[in-house]
Amino acid sequence: ALGLASLLGSRILDEETRDHFAHQGRIGEWSRLGNEFLGTGIPGAILGGAFWIYGDTKGKPLATHAGQAQLESLLATTVLVSAMKQVTARQRPNGDPGALPSAHVAHVFATGAVLNEFYGWKAGAPVYALGVLTAVGRMQDDRHWLSDTVGGAAVAIFIGRAFARSHLKQHETAQSEPTESSVRVQPLLGPGSLGVALHWEF
């Protein structure tokens, strides 16, 4: 609901922000960082894969879940954003199709959402800041309206949080269950009988 309200509210400022950013060089060559690198989704995928491999090889299940959530959220974000572009059929400021929502912005914010859920705001905030930089770069290059970028961020945060929380729940469940070999001895008492039960969990 908050994301939808932000999207609708930002549409009011679309023309004004286009005049302010498009072809104005507000962030100069920094726009290339988001347009050609961050927004492609490749850095997020590499980060997710690195977390997954690190978690598996070092016996760090939290990192494994973080990597899996990251890759899953990026895939889901890509699919949903592509479908929404077809449904909305909105033109970009430069006249090209496929404006709403911004996939570049969504890819960065999906990564930020997952990291924020797993490791807190100190991990999420810097990535969110890179997402804002990507959004400004897209507007500077006249590739998106303000509301396109807000829509991309909203969709990505929703998806990233959903996958992250699902994996965190799985991690907490696994942590509460025995994961290592353990032996327990339990006395058995009954009418006219006495015994001992040996439980071995592995």
Side-chain angles (χ1 to χ4, degrees), residues 37 41-55 63-64 66-71 74 107-108 110-112 114-115 119 123 127 130:
F37 182 62
I42 295 175
I46 293 174
L47 183 64
F51 268 97
W52 191 345
I53 293 171
Y54 171 77
T64 299
Q68 292 171 345
Q70 171 67 17
L71 293 173
L74 280 175
H107 288 145
V108 183
T111 298
V114 172
L115 290 177
Y119 300 106
V127 183
L130 291 175

Side-chain angles (χ1 to χ4, degrees), residues 119-143:
Y119 300 106
W121 68 269
K122 290 184 179 180
V127 183
Y128 283 146
L130 291 175
V132 172
L133 177 68
T134 301
V136 173
R138 299 303 283 167
M139 290 187 288
Q140 177 175 291
D141 287 359
D142 209 23
R143 298 286 293 172

Side-chain angles (χ1 to χ4, degrees), residues 73-74 76-78 80-81 84 101-114 128 149-163:
S73 67
L74 280 175
T77 297
T78 300
L80 183 57
V81 165
M84 291 178 68
S102 168
H104 280 68
V105 174
H107 288 145
V108 183
F109 271 85
T111 298
V114 172
Y128 283 146
T149 65
V150 172
V155 168
I157 290 173
F158 177 80
I159 293 176
R161 283 166 61 95
F163 278 97

